[in-house]
Amino acid sequence: MKTKKLPLAFWIFIGLAVGILAGIILIPLEIAGMTGVAFAKSYIKPWGDIFLNLLKFVVVPIVLFSIASGVISMQDIRKVGSVGGKTVIYYMCTTAFAVMLALILASVAKSTGIFSELRTEGLEYTPPEGKSIMSVIVDIFPSNPITPLANATMLQVIVISLFLGFGILLAGEKGLTTARVVDSFNEVFMRIMDLIIKLSPIGVACLICPVVAENGPSILGNLVAVLAVAYVGYIVHAVLVYSTTLGALAGVSPVKFFSNMAPAMMMAFSSASSVGTLPFTLECSEKLGARREVASFVLPLGATINMDGTAIYQGVCAVFIASAFGIDLTLGQMLTIVLTATLASVGTAGVPGAGIALVAGIDRVFDMGRTTVNITGDAACAVIVSKMEDKKQARKK
């Protein structure tokens, strides 16, 4: 009899559970003359960092070659525009809804007394200097092909990939050799990704353990309220928005979607890195029916600009910080937050002023949840756009 191989999601869950348990056990201990927390950060976290570095190492070539390969396989530049248009519209709409949901939940928490005024003496924060919208647009386009790859500047890597794919298509027969090279590199890095992913249970355990050990006691007190409201927002948004849009636009059931997304979601939760989770998200999306060429374009773009979880965090923290300082936000100010946070999904800072010091201590705990929501939204978009493109092609036949 053949033994049935346990799925990767099971082993990642085991790794997550072991890491959490180890972190809890280490909190009160003293090992080799140091606290358990210091031991976790000094001797366990580095192994998780190695795993995360391996994922980040493979992400840039995967994005570069998979997007270019996807453009080539579409065989039509207009089709790339169609996929890109649907993707951006979906991302912007879901992000705007995420902020509105966050503001509603946070306002309810404030009106019921869950958020209260706190002592804020001595809190200081100097925000980074902002960029103009034109500077942001200019920065999307690289001045050379090497720096974006070396620095993992994902928007610029995506632009390079698109132009590489466009150039190969426009070259016709003379571009066939380059097309085969791109496809070959894409397959090679996919196989490297498979090797790295097999280490994910160990990597997840080593990443989550120091987080639990360090933040276990510190999440108690007044900040539990804002943390709870943010996580309610994460869960409601993921279940409500993604389930509804997947069912209506792609015919995919929520149970099927979330069960297939489990490995990517657990990896995102433990690593708090959308880019590092990208290989998992790509694999899970394909299992859900997303076409390789579409997912290879939609997911890297989403890892860069789609920040539903971040938008929820921004909305909740804005109201919490205003409450802490005794400030009542008007409807106009809340609408400004919605607009600003939606535009901020491209990567700019989201929480204003000195209030960042209130939540900075447990930001990693917020980040774990918001990253999970971000990559789940990326996958939902990849599946939906793939299904819509399939229907569009079927109507043409």
Side-chain angles (χ1 to χ4, degrees):
M1 292 178 62
K2 291 184 178 179
T3 56
K4 189 175 181 180
K5 191 176 181 180
L6 291 170
L8 179 64
F10 172 81
W11 292 112
I12 293 177
F13 177 78
I14 294 297
L16 192 65
V18 169
I20 292 171
L21 182 61
I24 294 171
I25 292 171
L26 284 171
I27 291 172
L29 296 181
E30 187 170 327
I31 304 171
M34 64 178 71
T35 63
V37 176
F39 179 84
K41 292 172 70 174
S42 299
Y43 294 101
I44 297 178
K45 185 177 181 292
W47 297 104
D49 291 339
I50 289 171
F51 173 67
L52 203 54
N53 286 344
L54 288 173
L55 285 173
K56 290 178 179 178
F57 140 73
V58 81
V59 160
V60 170
I62 280 181
V63 170
L64 176 66
F65 293 115
S66 64
I67 290 181
S69 181
V71 170
I72 295 165
S73 62
M74 289 184 197
Q75 298 180 338
D76 188 348
I77 294 177
R78 289 173 298 179
K79 189 174 179 181
V80 178
S82 174
V83 170
K86 292 182 179 73
T87 300
V88 171
I89 290 171
Y90 182 86
Y91 284 157
M92 297 305 290
C93 289
T94 58
T95 301
F97 184 89
V99 185
M100 288 188 284
L101 172 64
L103 292 177
I104 291 170
L105 291 173
S107 298
V108 170
K110 183 177 182 295
S111 63
T112 55
I114 296 174
F115 288 175
S116 57
E117 191 169 340
L118 303 175
R119 293 185 61 184
T120 55
E121 298 87 353
L123 292 176
E124 294 182 1
Y125 174 74
T126 303
E129 186 177 345
K131 289 185 176 182
S132 68
I133 185 64
M134 291 310 300
S135 295
V136 173
I137 293 172
V138 169
D139 288 344
I140 292 174
F141 298 92
S143 58
N144 70 75
I146 305 301
T147 303
L149 302 179
N151 296 335
T153 311
M154 297 311 292
L155 275 177
Q156 293 187 354
V157 173
I158 290 170
V159 170
I160 293 171
S161 305
L162 289 173
F163 276 105
L164 177 60
F166 294 159
I168 291 170
L169 287 178
L170 294 173
E173 289 187 6
K174 291 184 178 180
L176 291 177
T177 301
T178 308
R180 284 193 290 268
V181 170
V182 167
D183 191 55
S184 178
F185 269 114
N186 185 43
E187 188 63 27
V188 167
F189 280 104
M190 284 296 176
R191 298 285 75 80
I192 294 173
M193 179 190 74
D194 290 340
L195 291 174
I196 296 170
I197 283 177
K198 289 179 180 178
L199 301 172
S200 54
I202 299 170
V204 164
C206 294
L207 285 167
I208 198 69
C209 175
V211 174
V212 173
E214 184 176 11
N215 293 289
S218 64
I219 63 170
L220 301 175
N222 288 311
L223 292 179
V224 168
V226 66
L227 196 64
V229 173
Y231 269 82
V232 168
Y234 296 154
I235 294 168
V236 170
H237 184 76
V239 172
L240 181 63
V241 176
Y242 303 147
S243 296
T244 303
T245 54
L246 281 162
L249 300 175
V252 177
S253 73
V255 174
K256 179 182 178 182
F257 176 73
F258 287 109
S259 60
N260 278 276
M261 278 299 297
M265 292 173 74
M266 285 186 281
M267 181 60 212
F269 186 78
S270 58
S271 69
S273 170
S274 295
V275 173
T277 309
L278 188 56
F280 290 81
T281 315
L282 181 61
E283 191 172 277
C284 292
S285 299
E286 289 184 11
K287 288 180 181 177
L288 284 161
R291 289 159 54 183
R292 169 64 67 88
E293 64 267 23
V294 173
S296 297
F297 176 79
V298 171
L299 295 179
L301 187 63
T304 309
I305 71 168
N306 181 45
M307 303 292 171
D308 291 359
T310 305
I312 292 170
Y313 165 79
Q314 290 167 344
V316 170
C317 286
V319 176
F320 168 71
I321 291 164
S323 300
F325 282 88
I327 300 170
D328 290 321
L329 293 174
T330 64
L331 178 61
Q333 288 170 326
M334 286 191 177
L335 290 175
T336 301
I337 291 172
V338 173
L339 178 61
T340 304
T342 302
L343 295 176
S345 66
V346 185
T348 54
V351 183
I356 287 181
L358 284 171
V359 294
I362 58 166
D363 183 68
R364 175 57 188 257
V365 184
F366 283 109
D367 201 7
M368 291 156 66
R370 65 183 181 240
T371 303
T372 305
V373 175
N374 291 342
I375 66 99
T376 306
D378 297 345
C381 184
V383 174
I384 288 169
V385 172
S386 290
K387 298 296 183 183
M388 292 177 74
E389 287 297 310
D390 288 343
K391 291 176 182 177
K392 183 179 177 181
Q393 281 191 346
R395 285 196 297 268
K396 288 183 178 179
K397 291 180 180 178

